[in-house]
Amino acid sequence: LTLVGYDEAVDASAVATLLESAGPDLCKIVLLSKIGVTKAKSGFLGGGKDLQLLESEKAIRKISQENNLKFSIVRAGSLKGGGPGVDGNDYGFSQKYYNS
């Protein structure tokens, strides 16, 4: 089961519902999250969405353990560059990447 919780937290009750309808072949949950979530802190200026994402990760980890499922988190940052380049002359990063 692959879940995406990059911009919005995954609702733990939705995961529980998915597991109820999953077959016996389900053996692992993979969550796509973002870099920096583990540093989220509550407080006057801190927290927000990253704190919600962190709490969601903890809840999904607990659900995985309760159901004897493996659990992995894949963390991704912002991707930039790549593509064919400018006018087809650069097959690596585009000029926009080098200038930003």
Side-chain angles (χ1 to χ4, degrees), residues 56-97:
S56 174
E57 288 180 8
K58 290 178 182 178
I60 295 169
R61 182 183 309 277
K62 183 178 177 187
I63 291 170
S64 297
Q65 291 171 344
E66 291 170 350
N67 288 279
N68 296 319
L69 298 170
K70 294 177 184 175
F71 179 63
S72 296
I73 298 175
V74 177
R75 300 202 184 279
S78 298
L79 302 177
K80 58 191 268 188
V86 179
D87 297 326
N89 294 326
D90 183 358
Y91 291 98
F93 292 124
S94 70
Q95 197 63 36
K96 183 177 179 182
Y97 174 81

Side-chain angles (χ1 to χ4, degrees), residues 27-61:
C27 62
K28 186 173 193 171
I29 295 176
V30 178
L31 174 65
L32 174 63
S33 190
K34 67 180 188 176
I35 293 174
V37 171
T38 56
K39 296 179 183 178
K41 293 187 168 85
S42 61
F44 183 69
L45 298 174
K49 283 195 175 192
D50 284 351
L51 188 58
Q52 292 172 358
L53 291 170
L54 181 61
E55 293 302 319
S56 174
E57 288 180 8
K58 290 178 182 178
I60 295 169
R61 182 183 309 277

